Structures are given as C-alpha cells and as structure tokens.
Amino acid sequence: MKSLLNQVTRRCYSSTVARKWIYAKTFKGEPTHANFRLETESLPVLRDGEFLAEAEYLSVDPYMRPYMMAYPEGSLMIGGQVARVTQSANQQFPVGASIFGQFGWRTHTVCNPDSLEKDKPYVLPEFGDLPQSLGVGVLGMPGNTAYFGLQELCQPKAGETVVVSGAAGAVGSLVGQIAKILGCRAVGIAGSDAKCEWLQRIGFDSAINYKSGNVYADLKKAAPKGVDCYFDNVGGQITEIVLKQMNLYGRVAVCGAISNYNSEVAKVTDPQRQFVFKQLRMEGFLVWRWNDRWLEGIEANLRWIREGKLAYEETVTEGFDKMPDAFIDMLRGGNTGKAIVKV
C-alpha cells in the first residue's frame, strides 16, 4: 500500500529542465569565456525526501578560481545560491521556502539533504524587509567569513589597528566595519579612489588606493601606531608591505590570495623574517570550521544591519547567461561589495 502511495505521489510532480554552466577548459591565467560551457539537463521526478529548488541569486566568489583547478574538465562550476523551493517531498523544505544551497552554477536542483555528508542546504532565517540576495553575501558565507575570521583568529582589542586588504570586496568591507564595532581603528586597502571613498563612507578610518599611491608611505600615515591585526584577502606585495609595519605580537588571518589566483606561476616571497622579529601569529582558515555556529554569525550581522552599524553593497549582474561575465569581472576587481547574479 505504501509503495503504491509513493508511486501516486511521485506522479504529482513534474519533471524540469535545468540549465548549468560547465567547467569546460582548465584555467590558465585569467578566465575567459572559453573556460565555460552552457548545457541543459532533464531532472528526475522527485522521490521521497527530495525537493526541487529554483535559483534566484547565485554567488561568484574569488575562491572558485583556485578551487576549480582540482576538478576535471566537464565538472559543474561550484558555488552557492539562494533558491526557492518549487516542489517538495521533504517536510523540512516546504514549497515557497527560501533556502541556501551549495548547488553550483545551475538554475534548478533536485536535492535530498539526508544523502549529503557536508554542504547541506538550509532554510534562510527571516530577513524581514531586507533582500533575499543577502543570503549569499553579508547574511551568508562572506558575512560569516568576516565575522568569525576577524574575531576568532585576529582577536582584536579595542584601540588596536586593523588593516584589511581587498577591503572593498564582499568580505573585506564587512571586516573593517566589524572592527569598528569592536572599538578598533580600521584601515582598508582597495583598488580605486571610488572604492576608497565608499569605504570611508561606511566607517573605515582610512582607505588606501594601492594602484595610485605609495602603499608603504600611505600605510605609515594611516596607521601611525603600527598594525596589530591584518585580515589578508590578497597576498603578494601588499601583504609584504603590511607585514613590515606589524606591531609585536600582531595577528594575521589569511582569508585569500586573490593577487595570485590568475597567475600561472605564483611569485615566491620570503616573509618569515617579519614573523620571527615581530613574533607574529598567522593562520589561514576556511569559514566552514564554524559550521556548528553558522546561524550565530548570520544573526549577529543581521542585528548590526538593523542597528545601522553594518552597511553592505551588492554588484548585481542580471541573467543566468551572464555567470561567466560576472565571474571574470569580479576577479578583475570590478565589483564593490558582494558580486551576485540575479536569475
């Protein structure tokens, strides 16, 4: 009887055709359109425990560039998305629910959460009048990267100076604002005068344009008492400069190295002398280590937004067909705040 009921229930769901972007050719240097291929896929009818999610906002992030190098050609492009449940045979994911899932660059996904060991989707908390797109930004992975990375690794104290590279990006812009909430001086390093002006509008004490200025001299002025905490999103020469101005017992959180992501051969540097002479502490991290506290970060950032303490910016590209364009532009620094694609 139960088997017959399941067959009848299954027939109530309609099949769906998904569109998806494939990693067609291994990255060599800066990504181009030749690295991607758009395909379609007919999805199966739902089974018990599954739901169908339709993408609404997709994330493009720097980490996708180096991570995809571990995948073979022909793989689905990885990434997170905010999606809406349109069909469901799972009570935990009802029709109409807004969810976050690591579904990759695709328009529709059939998912059974119980079959996943990691990267499980979750229903987004209530955002009120805020846009659902924040689920891939300040109220999602980038927001938690800033929230946990700064506080758990750098452990900034009131009155200290925090420097952030890649400061106008999705993570960096939040790190500086959280530093201010914690009573610190925040200095951002970004790639244009417009971005630097925006950083100061959202609360950074100072911002340095690394493309037009002398970063070493400008940082001396912006951080006259030296640097206590460095949140590193870029690596490379900028990091070498910041390390030279770190104070004794400074702390460095390494979130990314975007300056080298498009390089076929990364430049080898020797920063160890600064770590010895200044007794620094440096730690790289992936935000997933705080999965068991995930909602803590989202709720804290949501509270700060509502209190007017945390501002955000989104660079929105319209259309699923534009996923590669948004990704390439983001890696070139074309975004301010979070880069997203609206389907």
Side-chain angles (χ1 to χ4, degrees):
M1 184 69 175
K2 183 176 180 180
S3 175
L4 177 61
L5 179 61
N6 287 342
Q7 293 176 24
V8 173
T9 301
R10 205 169 296 157
R11 283 197 292 269
C12 293
Y13 302 115
S14 60
S15 60
T16 303
V17 175
R19 303 170 73 206
K20 59 183 182 180
W21 281 101
I22 299 299
Y23 181 51
K25 186 178 180 181
T26 302
F27 293 133
K28 292 183 179 179
E30 182 176 299
T32 70
H33 287 87
N35 295 115
F36 310 97
R37 182 175 66 250
L38 184 59
E39 295 184 353
T40 59
E41 175 188 9
S42 294
L43 301 181
V45 174
L46 295 189
R47 296 178 178 273
D48 289 342
E50 295 179 336
F51 63 84
L52 174 66
E54 181 177 349
E56 295 185 325
Y57 300 96
L58 294 104
S59 181
V60 287
D61 299 287
Y63 78 85
M64 296 173 182
R65 170 62 174 80
Y67 273 42
M68 286 308 302
M69 296 297 290
Y71 288 78
E73 293 178 352
S75 299
L76 175 72
M77 282 293 298
I78 60 174
Q81 61 176 248
V82 167
R84 181 171 56 87
V85 177
T86 58
Q87 297 180 29
S88 182
N90 187 315
Q91 293 182 349
Q92 302 302 313
F93 294 84
V95 172
S98 291
I99 67 170
F100 174 86
Q102 292 286 355
F103 299 146
W105 290 16
R106 55 186 303 128
T107 58
H108 298 80
T109 305
V110 170
C111 178
N112 185 340
D114 293 335
S115 69
L116 301 176
E117 294 183 5
K118 61 179 182 177
D119 296 335
K120 290 181 178 290
Y122 58 89
V123 176
L124 293 173
E126 179 57 51
F127 290 175
D129 59 354
L130 296 171
Q132 294 298 111
S133 57
L134 299 188
V136 293
V138 61
L139 300 180
M141 182 272 289
N144 277 357
T145 300
Y147 177 85
F148 290 112
L150 177 66
Q151 296 187 97
E152 298 293 325
L153 272 61
C154 288
Q155 298 178 359
K157 304 175 183 64
E160 291 189 324
T161 296
V162 175
V163 171
V164 188
S165 58
V171 174
S173 60
L174 303 175
V175 170
Q177 293 181 83
I178 294 173
K180 292 298 296 179
I181 291 170
L182 299 176
C184 299
R185 177 175 178 79
V187 178
I189 302 174
S192 73
D193 288 341
K195 289 182 177 181
C196 288
E197 290 167 5
W198 175 67
L199 290 174
Q200 292 187 285
R201 285 200 303 272
I202 65 173
F204 280 68
D205 293 285
S206 185
I208 297 167
N209 182 347
Y210 72 88
K211 291 184 178 180
S212 64
N214 180 321
V215 177
Y216 188 88
D218 291 345
L219 184 57
K220 277 286 188 183
K221 296 177 182 178
K225 296 181 180 179
V227 179
D228 301 292
C229 303
Y230 176 42
F231 196 100
D232 186 8
N233 286 304
V234 303
Q237 186 177 28
I238 289 176
T239 292
E240 291 184 74
I241 291 171
V242 175
L243 292 181
K244 291 176 181 177
Q245 298 189 35
M246 296 286 294
N247 290 327
L248 285 173
Y249 312 117
R251 290 85 67 198
V252 181
V254 181
C255 179
I258 194 171
S259 66
N260 293 321
Y261 286 169
N262 286 334
S263 299
E264 295 189 47
V265 179
K267 180 183 176 182
V268 177
T269 60
D270 182 22
Q272 276 75 10
R273 68 178 66 184
Q274 303 299 333
F275 283 89
V276 174
F277 296 159
K278 296 177 181 177
Q279 302 179 67
L280 307 179
R281 189 180 73 211
M282 178 179 185
E283 185 172 352
F285 72 99
L286 298 175
V287 69
W288 315 119
R289 75 162 76 171
W290 295 287
N291 268 348
D292 60 337
R293 297 170 57 190
W294 199 254
L295 286 180
E296 173 193 329
I298 292 176
E299 290 168 356
N301 287 335
L302 179 57
R303 183 177 66 253
W304 285 332
I305 290 173
R306 288 175 172 162
E307 292 173 351
K309 297 178 180 179
L310 196 61
Y312 62 87
E313 184 80 16
E314 295 178 318
T315 298
V316 182
T317 300
E318 297 272 353
F320 185 74
D321 291 348
K322 299 293 187 180
M323 288 293 299
D325 297 271
F327 181 63
I328 293 168
D329 183 64
M330 177 272 303
L331 288 174
R332 291 173 176 170
N335 62 298
T336 297
K338 181 72 186 81
I340 62 174
V341 173
K342 181 179 180 181
V343 179

